[in-house]
Amino acid sequence: GEHAPSLNSIPTTAELCFTYHHRPRLFSIRFMRWRFAFAVGTLSRFSSMAFKNTDEVIRRIMKTTQTVALVGASKNPERPSNHVMSTLQMMGYKVIPINPGLAKQNVILHGEKVYESLESAASASENPSIDMVDIFRRSQEAGQFVDEAIKIGVKSVWLQVGVVDVEAGIRATEAGLDCVMNACPLIEGPRLGISGPDQSCIP
């Protein structure tokens, strides 16, 4: 399955997140293999362009965010997006799942209604304002969701491990959004000692 790759394969976003939480002894091996693949440009057409996450931005996002829209939500419990959603909820974030196919089926995922798009989630009167958009899509598809995030006025966009679109990141930062890419909040949070929203940091 997606969550149990061959040791010799190049790990994906899904595999890295799963391995970090369920098979920590293999994480460093898979992470180094992924870093090498990324360095030689096998994961993204933007890999040769510079983008550097900063701990300051990651801290600000994770401490001030209250509501997350998760693009690429899945009802399959073996999918990393499913695991990330439920874990973010346990950390104290409200997570709104985005998946047009599931929305048409009126699926309720981890207690939350699934929406067709970021715009439909943002315009729903029952939802609080969206602070962060977490993107589980391929690099070549990420830009359109970054642009949607800018349009609906969120504070930040977060592209998951293996998802890189530097041009979209530039558009986001120029629009005043914080941006993180090629990272997972479930990895970055523990690394920085962040367990969820910090009410003292929220305006």
Side-chain angles (χ1 to χ4, degrees):
E2 178 183 1
H3 61 285
S6 163
L7 186 61
N8 294 321
S9 65
I10 297 170
T12 63
T13 303
E15 295 158 0
L16 280 175
C17 288
F18 183 90
T19 304
Y20 181 82
H21 290 281
H22 298 281
R23 301 179 70 183
R25 292 182 181 180
L26 292 180
F27 175 75
S28 60
I29 298 173
R30 297 238 165 95
F31 184 69
M32 290 304 294
R33 190 180 302 279
W34 180 88
R35 287 291 295 273
F36 174 77
F38 185 78
V40 297
T42 59
L43 291 182
S44 171
R45 65 190 179 97
F46 298 113
S47 62
S48 62
M49 301 176 67
F51 184 92
K52 184 177 181 180
N53 297 323
T54 69
D55 288 352
E56 178 185 4
V57 169
I58 293 171
R59 284 193 182 96
R60 181 165 59 240
I61 292 174
M62 296 199 68
K63 286 187 174 184
T64 63
T65 291
Q66 297 184 86
T67 303
V68 177
L70 193 148
V71 175
S74 173
K75 65 180 180 180
N76 182 346
E78 294 186 353
R79 293 282 184 174
S81 59
N82 185 291
H83 173 64
V84 168
M85 178 178 175
S86 62
T87 305
L88 288 175
Q89 288 177 319
M90 288 188 287
M91 292 171 69
Y93 299 99
K94 178 177 176 64
V95 185
I96 302 171
I98 310 296
N99 182 310
L102 297 183
K104 291 178 181 178
Q105 300 173 40
N106 297 315
V107 169
I108 302 297
L109 185 60
H110 297 303
E112 295 285 350
K113 176 182 176 180
V114 181
Y115 288 85
E116 181 179 6
S117 66
L118 289 172
E119 186 174 5
S120 63
S123 62
S125 59
E126 65 268 24
N127 290 333
S129 60
I130 297 169
D131 300 309
M132 187 253 276
V133 173
D134 190 4
I135 300 174
F136 276 88
R137 302 296 296 177
R138 295 186 179 96
S139 294
Q140 59 267 34
E141 300 172 354
Q144 69 184 78
F145 298 106
V146 172
D147 292 336
E148 286 183 36
I150 294 170
K151 181 179 178 181
I152 65 173
V154 304
K155 298 175 182 177
S156 63
V157 288
W158 190 302
L159 282 63
Q160 280 286 336
V161 177
V163 185
V164 176
D165 186 334
V166 174
E167 293 176 353
I170 292 171
R171 294 197 298 273
T173 55
E174 287 181 345
L177 281 65
D178 282 329
C179 180
V180 173
M181 63 179 70
N182 184 31
C184 178
L186 303 196
I187 296 175
E188 298 303 312
R191 181 179 70 82
L192 296 174
I194 300 169
S195 58
D198 185 340
Q199 295 301 320
S200 67
C201 297
I202 298 172

